[in-house]
Amino acid sequence: MVKYSRGNSMYMTKSNEDENSNAMRFITAYNTIDNALRSIYNFKRSMTYADMIRRASNLNYVVRKYEDKLIDYGRLRNAIVHSSYEDVVIAEPHIDVLEEFEKIAALLSTPPKAISTIATRDVITLQANTPVREVLKTMSKRGYKNIPIYEDDALIGVANAGKLAETLGSALLACENLQDFVDETSIGDILMQTVDENYYVITNSKVTIEQIMELFNTNRKLLVILITQNGNNLDKPLGIITVGDVVDMNKILDLY
């Protein structure tokens, strides 16, 4: 049988069968989530599980997605642990509930890294002095809508197909000769005149899918996330993620 102590949710088992029971696995998942969130966000030990979930829902895409279930599962954990019976498990979670709780625990404690799951690793870069015509030809030939632009060894921006189309449209409205414009204008010149700089960010190679999803959620203008080793503009790109990858990232989290 299983014994629980109220103070710190520690338990003792008398058999391997008890250790592998749904109740014991459920408690292990609960403790994993509790420890992971306290470690990630430095929550105080005095903060209750429910309060921690509500606070983390503002910071973490996975917690926000499963917030209601995490609160319900916390109540179920209390039914299992805070029993007036010392030697009897009074609630045995259904296997579907248990497996979902274990999945959430894995997502929070060992989240999938973006660089190894969703990021496009074959990243093309161009120099700032590249004419717009060559940038457009490269996009068309390679099928990429976003190309990081470097001046020598430093990233100065990301050439985005949609924003380039807006620039070309403005040139037409200004009655400029479009052929001359794309031949004589460098991509660096266009990026220097770009007012909206919130459409791309740089992050490091340890970034998780959950963190990527949170970046897109908090910045509705975000189109591109560039991954480098240390997350600065002096590193070469290791991978690139676009807003078009959000659906696939959701699938990865659902199947994790």
Side-chain angles (χ1 to χ4, degrees), residues 132 136 161-179 181-182 185 190 193-195:
V132 171
L136 293 171
K163 291 190 172 296
L164 273 179
E166 293 175 5
T167 300
L168 296 179
S170 297
L172 284 173
L173 290 174
C175 299
E176 293 190 42
N177 183 300
L178 204 56
Q179 289 191 359
F181 181 83
V182 297
T185 307
I190 290 179
Q193 298 171 13
T194 300
V195 176

Side-chain angles (χ1 to χ4, degrees), residues 11-241:
Y11 48 82
M12 299 173 57
T13 62
K14 293 184 179 180
S15 70
N16 290 333
E17 181 179 355
D18 289 330
E19 291 178 355
N20 295 322
S21 71
N22 286 5
M24 298 307 298
R25 287 170 57 189
F26 189 90
I27 293 169
T28 298
Y30 174 95
N31 290 336
T32 298
I33 291 172
D34 185 270
N35 292 332
L37 292 181
R38 294 186 193 280
S39 175
I40 294 170
Y41 300 111
N42 198 29
F43 291 142
K44 296 180 179 179
R45 299 306 302 179
S46 59
M47 183 180 292
T48 67
Y49 170 87
D51 287 342
M52 184 171 60
I53 294 300
R54 294 188 181 95
R55 181 77 64 84
S57 68
N58 296 319
L59 307 169
N60 188 292
Y61 176 84
V62 172
V63 176
R64 183 163 56 253
K65 182 176 182 178
Y66 295 103
E67 180 180 3
D68 291 340
K69 289 185 177 181
L70 285 168
I71 294 294
D72 288 341
Y73 293 164
R75 296 190 182 102
L76 177 54
R77 174 264 185 188
N78 290 338
I80 296 171
V81 175
H82 294 164
S83 167
S84 59
Y85 301 94
E86 292 186 354
D87 295 316
V88 179
V89 172
I90 64 170
E92 189 76 3
H94 191 279
I95 187 62
D96 291 344
V97 169
L98 170 62
E99 289 177 349
E100 181 171 49
F101 201 35
E102 288 180 328
K103 183 187 81 168
I104 299 171
L107 282 170
L108 293 174
S109 61
T110 56
K113 296 289 191 296
I115 191 66
S116 59
T117 54
I118 192 66
T120 298
R121 303 289 291 273
D122 181 22
V123 184
I124 298 173
T125 65
L126 292 173
Q127 283 294 308
N129 60 3
T130 305
V132 171
R133 178 183 292 277
E134 293 304 314
V135 176
L136 293 171
K137 287 171 63 177
T138 301
M139 286 182 170
S140 179
K141 181 180 179 179
R142 300 298 295 269
Y144 292 160
K145 296 181 179 180
N146 299 280
I147 299 179
I149 304 299
Y150 282 75
E151 188 164 31
D152 296 327
D153 295 325
L155 180 79
I156 64 168
V158 176
N160 173 265
K163 291 190 172 296
L164 273 179
E166 293 175 5
T167 300
L168 296 179
S170 297
L172 284 173
L173 290 174
C175 299
E176 293 190 42
N177 183 300
L178 204 56
Q179 289 191 359
D180 290 343
F181 181 83
V182 297
D183 285 334
E184 299 172 3
T185 307
S186 73
I187 188 61
D189 291 337
I190 290 179
L191 291 179
M192 290 293 289
Q193 298 171 13
T194 300
V195 176
D196 180 12
E197 297 180 352
N198 293 322
Y199 69 94
Y200 78 93
V201 298
I202 311 171
T203 187
N204 64 56
S205 60
K206 295 180 181 180
V207 68
T208 66
I209 287 184
E210 179 279 319
Q211 290 170 326
I212 293 291
M213 294 292 283
E214 192 64 24
L215 286 172
F216 280 119
N217 183 71
T218 55
N219 180 5
R220 297 299 183 179
K221 293 183 178 181
L222 185 60
L223 300 174
V224 186
I225 296 175
L226 191 65
I227 300 176
T228 69
Q229 184 64 41
N230 300 302
N232 64 59
N233 69 333
L234 297 179
D235 293 335
K236 293 301 181 183
L238 300 177
I240 194 168
I241 299 172

